[in-house]
Amino acid sequence: QQPVQSPQAVILREGEDAVINCSSSKALYSVHWYRQKHGEAPVFLMILLKGGEQKGHEKISASFNEKKQQSSLYLTASQLSYSGTYFCGTLKAAGNKLTFGGGTRVLVKP
Amino acid sequence: DAGITQSPRHKVTETGTPVTLRCHQTENHRYMYWYRQDPGHGLRLIHYSYGVKDTDKGEVSDGYSVSRSKTEDFLLTLESATSSQTSVYFCAISEISGALGTDTQYFGPGTRLTVL
């Protein structure tokens, strides 16, 4: 079952913060975050494992709440380069068949 | 850059014609995947391969077949293309880390397919 991402879209001014959530109705083993710019391939950002620590990439960090089966992606002090669509992919068990959410479109304006 | 190429990058075809998309990798990765991406649906797995001649279905496999006769090539075939198969198709590769029990998937540049 596809994880649910929220919000579907967000518009930011440069320097502002945003949070993107990825929720599943099933217990999760790991959550994978990707960013995709228009017309390009998705690019890996980070993996969060069950029981693991919060991860970071540039000023983008993420957490994984096992009780809620939810991961949150934090865009801190956003930059123009953060614009794109963010996808979470989830695994219910160790392995490699990711199920992706519908994506969250982020637009960072000057 | 994970050494993944896809061909063709763009294709326009007519309903009922067969179409084959090619994914080529240069780094000997065991796992290869085919996804389709449509607005509002994110990325959906069509088929994947865990070795030469070893393939399995994903969540949207109807109307698609795959083959992997060499480690470096993973082919996706639409036996008789339909308009509902108009999409952007991404190939991906990965290796599973024994320590993590999971891995990172790296995506190719994509193929935009239009079925008229």
Side-chain angles (χ1 to χ4, degrees):
Chain A
Q1 190 171 5
Q2 188 179 34
V4 176
Q5 289 186 232
S6 62
Q8 290 187 318
V10 59
I11 300 175
L12 302 165
R13 290 287 179 190
E14 216 173 351
E16 292 181 340
D17 302 338
V19 180
I20 300 170
N21 295 310
C22 173
S23 299
S24 173
S25 59
K26 305 284 187 182
L28 296 176
Y29 175 81
S30 65
V31 180
H32 304 222
W33 285 98
Y34 289 80
R35 179 173 63 205
Q36 184 179 30
K37 297 200 180 272
H38 183 70
E40 298 181 7
V43 174
F44 171 76
L45 293 176
M46 64 192 79
I47 291 175
L48 293 102
L49 299 177
K50 184 173 64 172
E53 298 176 353
Q54 184 164 336
K55 298 287 188 182
H57 173 85
E58 301 170 343
K59 288 187 178 178
I60 299 173
S61 61
S63 62
F64 182 12
N65 186 322
E66 292 174 45
K67 287 185 178 179
K68 291 185 177 180
Q69 298 308 322
Q70 177 177 290
S71 178
S72 296
L73 188 74
Y74 306 96
L75 307 182
T76 305
S78 58
Q79 305 169 16
L80 296 176
S81 62
Y82 288 2
S83 292
T85 301
Y86 290 77
F87 292 97
C88 66
T90 59
L91 284 176
K92 295 193 285 290
N96 58 332
K97 288 177 69 173
L98 289 171
T99 302
F100 285 92
T104 296
R105 284 187 294 177
V106 173
L107 176 61
V108 181
K109 293 185 173 181
Chain B
D1 184 0
I4 310 168
T5 57
Q6 293 184 230
S7 58
R9 295 293 313 279
H10 301 271
K11 186 170 182 67
V12 179
T13 191
E14 294 189 351
T15 298
T17 59
V19 176
T20 296
L21 307 182
R22 180 183 183 234
C23 177
H24 178 78
Q25 56 139 331
T26 60
E27 299 184 2
N28 213 34
H29 293 285
R30 179 182 175 190
Y31 293 88
M32 299 184 75
Y33 312 79
W34 277 108
Y35 291 90
R36 61 177 291 173
Q37 184 173 41
D38 306 289
H41 289 279
L43 293 150
R44 292 182 291 175
L45 182 65
I46 305 171
H47 283 280
Y48 73 102
S49 169
Y50 46 97
V52 173
K53 292 186 171 31
D54 292 323
T55 64
D56 202 355
K57 296 179 180 180
E59 60 183 298
V60 291
S61 59
D62 287 348
Y64 301 94
S65 62
V66 289
S67 66
R68 192 170 178 197
S69 58
K70 298 184 291 184
T71 299
E72 58 266 35
D73 289 325
F74 191 31
L75 304 180
L76 177 71
T77 298
L78 291 66
E79 301 290 348
S80 178
T82 67
S83 58
S84 65
Q85 293 176 312
T86 291
S87 187
V88 179
Y89 291 86
F90 286 101
C91 173
I93 57 89
S94 73
E95 286 287 347
I96 287 188
S97 162
L100 293 177
T102 185
D103 64 337
T104 300
Q105 292 191 16
Y106 295 95
F107 288 83
T111 294
R112 184 172 295 276
L113 176 67
T114 302
V115 183
L116 301 175

